[in-house]
Amino acid sequence: MFGQSHWINSCVILCLEVIKLVEEYARDDSASVVTGLQRCKHFARQIKTQRTPQWPCTPTPELPPKAIADELLECYLRTSESLYRVLHVPSFLSQYETVWIDNAASDPTFLVLLKLVLAIGAASYNDTFTLRPSAIRWVYEAEAWLANPTLKHRLGLQYFQIYCLLVLARESTAVGEDLVWISTGGLFRAAVHMGLHRDPAHFPPRSHFANEMHRRIWNTIIELCLQASLNHGGPPLMSLADFDTNPPSNFNDDQLTEKHALPRPESQHTQASIAIALRKTYPIRLAITKFLNCIGTASSYDETLRLDAEFRQSYKGLRSAFQGFNCTSDRTASQVALRLADVILQRYLTALHMPFYGSALNDSAHAYSRKVALDASLKVWYAMNPLSDAMHSEGPLEEGILGRLCICASGFLRISVLQALLLASVELRQQVKDDDGFGPVPLRRDLLAIVQDGKTWHLKCVEAGETNIKGYIFAVLLCANIEGLMKGLERPELAAFLISHAHEAELQCFEILKNMLDQSQPEQNIESLGQMSLETTPGSLEGWDFMVSGAAPFPKPEFDYP
């Protein structure tokens, strides 16, 4: 059902033999794996119920203490806003300070926008996403605001700012993130309806501020639409001929309110530089996404190589631009943005070559795709993984923000890191299978470290509030599978070895989820778990491939009338 850019269509299929092996032997082991999954799923549902506010969730004026809000805002500005320009930071900060003087007199619409900023920032605030319940509520409040049927009078700058932030916040907080591609379609059409797809030069004269915010918001909208298309395997449903709005100009935010301000040279870093640089790669990224996800395109290897060459040429120019930026004014913020931008670009390169990765394991004709996909994934891993030694050379702020973002936030970044883990495990498995020697197999240490660290990373995700434990269990299985193959275990022994490790992983997750539920509803009796049915059914192990929330690869259309 999904296009080829959806990670589950390629990576998980390469690891299906591990899943099938566990399923085959675990069905007779109802006291361990199956019941463990059911118990954890029961807790997960209760936790989600506790976190989910009632609908409709009416926006309220309540905010966290200012000291915490200041930190959340700083986290947002250093991560999301550095890539996706949504706010005019000086005017936003001015309104932000006013809120703390007289909250009751604050603009309700601005409070909705502010809470979305705080929700996104909460994903990199600390290691355990302690503000997740509040962030989820803020997202629900924004959804309620956006769902108001009398929207016509709201279709202005703040409306599109809130819509963009809501898309980003839903992915960060895992609130319906599997439906973001649908939402970005509505965002795109609303923007076209209001004329954002036409450059301000076509309109009557407006202020310099209005023109540049027009270009910035449109630029962010098309970036979000394309990213959602790549993530969810949906066709982009747009082309370069659908708009003529120019990229943002190279201004710092304070210049937008100056009369006769001139854009700075592109070699000089500003608050818009990263967005401008990414826009230059937009045509090739759009072409790659269309090639992968549109029904009418054939999966030609020649076309893959052509797109690869064009992407590399564009990437080379972007890299030169990044290296030329003068970031001395705020080096840390710029380095965070540069790393995140590189992760985005490497994800397109990986997606382009993944359709040929499986065949490349046994066919040298596609060996180039195997190398490119692995190399790009490793770059993502070392850029984002908080457990990697490569992270320790950077400053503590960057290490903390990127590491927490990787663990706490859902969506694009987590999927990119997960894909690197899966490819590393496949390469190690293939290395063991291809070895024809009599002694121990000299496995690549870097790949082995990634697979081992992947277990710890996934466990940290669960400790940070992720209720879907299958990612952690699967990471444990991948690591155990390599260990079992190294020991030369036969199929039945290997299955028992994997099931044993899966059971231990479930027990770990069970305790984490139980403690999580105890903290969220201490007055209720957790022992009610004993009342649930633990009967093993043929479908008890279904869904092993749903390793991240909302990642169902083959949804069943339901068109029947009730």
Side-chain angles (χ1 to χ4, degrees):
M1 295 295 292
F2 293 141
Q4 295 183 87
S5 72
H6 197 291
W7 65 275
I8 212 164
N9 283 341
S10 51
C11 286
V12 174
I13 291 175
L14 297 172
C15 302
L16 276 181
E17 64 179 60
V18 176
I19 299 173
K20 290 180 178 179
L21 181 61
V22 172
E23 284 188 330
E24 179 182 347
Y25 287 88
R27 294 193 188 281
D28 298 328
D29 190 13
S30 60
S32 59
V33 176
V34 176
T35 54
L37 277 175
Q38 289 180 328
R39 293 195 304 171
C40 290
K41 183 178 289 188
H42 179 74
F43 275 173
R45 287 172 177 166
Q46 289 188 329
I47 293 169
K48 286 183 177 180
T49 300
Q50 289 294 314
R51 291 174 178 170
T52 304
Q54 291 185 344
W55 182 262
C57 187
T58 305
T60 65
E62 283 77 16
L63 292 170
K66 188 175 187 299
I68 294 178
D70 288 347
E71 292 188 55
L72 298 181
L73 175 57
E74 182 68 15
C75 289
Y76 166 80
L77 293 176
R78 289 190 176 276
T79 54
S80 182
E81 183 66 26
S82 62
L83 282 178
Y84 307 109
R85 295 312 319 271
V86 175
L87 306 176
H88 178 249
V89 177
S91 58
F92 174 85
L93 293 178
S94 177
Q95 285 186 275
Y96 174 75
E97 293 299 332
T98 303
V99 166
W100 303 103
I101 297 174
D102 187 1
N103 188 306
S106 299
D107 176 14
T109 300
F110 177 76
L111 288 178
V112 172
L113 186 150
L114 171 59
K115 288 182 179 182
L116 287 174
V117 167
L118 301 182
I120 297 169
S124 56
Y125 172 65
N126 57 19
D127 294 334
T128 54
F129 205 167
T130 52
L131 292 174
R132 185 189 294 267
S134 296
I136 291 174
R137 177 176 178 83
W138 297 334
V139 170
Y140 269 77
E141 288 184 9
E143 287 280 11
W145 182 90
L146 203 64
N148 190 317
T150 58
L151 269 178
K152 187 174 181 179
H153 68 286
R154 295 185 180 181
L155 291 177
L157 174 61
Q158 278 193 323
Y159 171 84
F160 290 106
Q161 288 176 320
I162 288 174
Y163 208 145
C164 290
L165 291 172
L166 181 58
V167 168
L168 294 166
R170 283 174 56 185
E171 285 216 326
S172 295
T173 59
V175 176
E177 78 276 20
D178 52 322
L179 301 177
V180 161
W181 179 63
I182 299 175
S183 299
T184 55
L187 172 60
F188 180 84
R189 283 157 182 78
V192 170
H193 178 76
M194 294 303 295
L196 292 181
H197 65 304
R198 302 306 308 274
D199 191 76
H202 299 291
F203 296 99
R206 296 185 299 182
S207 68
H208 172 52
F209 174 89
N211 289 340
E212 280 306 310
M213 290 304 296
H214 176 137
R215 295 187 178 107
R216 287 185 178 190
I217 290 294
W218 175 256
N219 191 71
T220 295
I221 288 171
I222 60 175
E223 281 288 349
L224 293 178
C225 289
L226 187 60
Q227 181 171 301
S229 178
L230 184 78
N231 287 354
H232 301 283
L237 301 179
M238 63 177 173
S239 70
L240 297 176
D242 292 334
F243 60 91
D244 61 9
T245 302
N246 289 324
S249 300
N250 198 32
F251 290 109
N252 276 317
D253 284 18
D254 55 6
Q255 292 181 276
L256 300 190
T257 53
E258 296 176 1
K259 291 184 178 180
H260 312 299
L262 296 176
R264 299 188 178 181
E266 289 193 357
S267 59
Q268 186 173 353
H269 180 265
T270 70
Q271 291 167 292
S273 292
I274 306 297
I276 294 170
L278 280 175
R279 177 67 175 271
K280 292 181 179 180
T281 69
Y282 193 86
I284 181 57
R285 289 187 287 129
L286 178 60
I288 289 173
T289 309
K290 282 179 174 287
F291 172 69
L292 293 172
N293 295 339
C294 290
I295 296 176
T297 57
S299 185
S300 162
Y301 196 55
D302 288 340
E303 181 64 9
T304 297
L305 296 179
R306 187 193 69 79
L307 291 171
D308 173 89
E310 188 175 340
F311 177 89
R312 291 182 181 280
Q313 186 65 28
S314 182
Y315 182 82
K316 184 178 179 180
L318 186 69
R319 185 178 180 183
S320 298
F322 283 173
Q323 291 174 341
F325 286 156
N326 179 11
C327 304
T328 55
S329 61
D330 193 352
R331 181 181 180 278
T332 304
S334 297
Q335 288 300 313
V336 169
L338 292 177
R339 278 183 179 249
L340 291 174
D342 196 38
V343 168
I344 290 174
L345 294 170
Q346 297 299 335
R347 175 77 172 87
Y348 283 88
L349 195 57
T350 304
L352 176 62
H353 286 276
M354 278 309 299
F356 298 95
Y357 180 87
S359 61
L361 296 175
N362 303 302
D363 182 3
S364 60
H366 297 153
Y368 177 71
S369 287
R370 178 181 178 181
K371 180 181 185 303
V372 172
L374 179 62
D375 289 349
S377 292
L378 292 183
K379 289 178 181 178
V380 170
W381 177 270
Y382 289 122
M384 293 302 302
N385 181 24
L387 306 176
S388 168
D389 290 338
M391 292 293 296
H392 299 162
S393 61
E394 300 292 345
L397 181 59
E398 177 169 6
E399 179 183 334
I401 284 183
L402 291 178
R404 292 192 294 267
L405 199 60
C406 184
I407 290 171
C408 300
S410 300
F412 182 81
L413 292 175
R414 184 178 292 184
I415 288 174
S416 300
V417 176
L418 173 61
Q419 190 172 45
L421 168 61
L422 292 173
L423 285 184
S425 67
V426 171
E427 286 290 335
L428 288 174
R429 184 192 67 190
Q430 196 67 23
Q431 192 175 350
V432 174
K433 288 184 175 181
D434 292 344
D435 183 74
D436 55 2
F438 296 101
V441 181
L443 296 178
R444 280 183 56 173
R445 292 187 178 183
D446 59 334
L447 300 183
L448 189 59
I450 288 174
V451 174
Q452 292 171 341
D453 285 349
K455 292 194 304 180
T456 306
W457 170 64
H458 269 292
L459 186 61
K460 285 182 176 292
C461 292
V462 176
E463 291 172 340
E466 172 61 66
T467 57
N468 189 336
I469 69 166
K470 292 167 190 166
Y472 174 58
I473 294 176
F474 196 69
V476 169
L477 289 175
L478 292 177
C479 194
N481 184 56
I482 300 300
E483 185 179 348
L485 292 175
M486 289 289 294
K487 292 180 178 180
L489 299 180
E490 297 297 330
R491 186 175 178 84
E493 290 78 14
L494 179 59
F497 188 69
L498 295 177
I499 291 172
S500 173
H501 280 75
H503 183 51
E504 292 177 7
E506 286 170 347
L507 291 177
Q508 282 183 288
C509 293
F510 177 83
E511 290 301 321
I512 294 172
L513 295 176
K514 182 177 181 298
N515 291 335
M516 206 181 297
L517 189 58
D518 281 336
Q519 294 172 8
S520 64
Q521 51 175 27
E523 72 283 358
Q524 295 190 21
N525 183 11
I526 304 300
E527 298 304 322
S528 63
L529 178 66
Q531 302 173 8
M532 66 174 285
S533 172
L534 297 180
E535 180 182 357
T536 305
T537 65
S540 296
L541 288 176
E542 289 181 357
W544 271 88
D545 45 355
F546 306 172
M547 291 186 296
V548 293
S549 302
F554 304 115
K556 298 178 181 179
E558 296 180 0
F559 298 128
D560 294 335
Y561 290 103

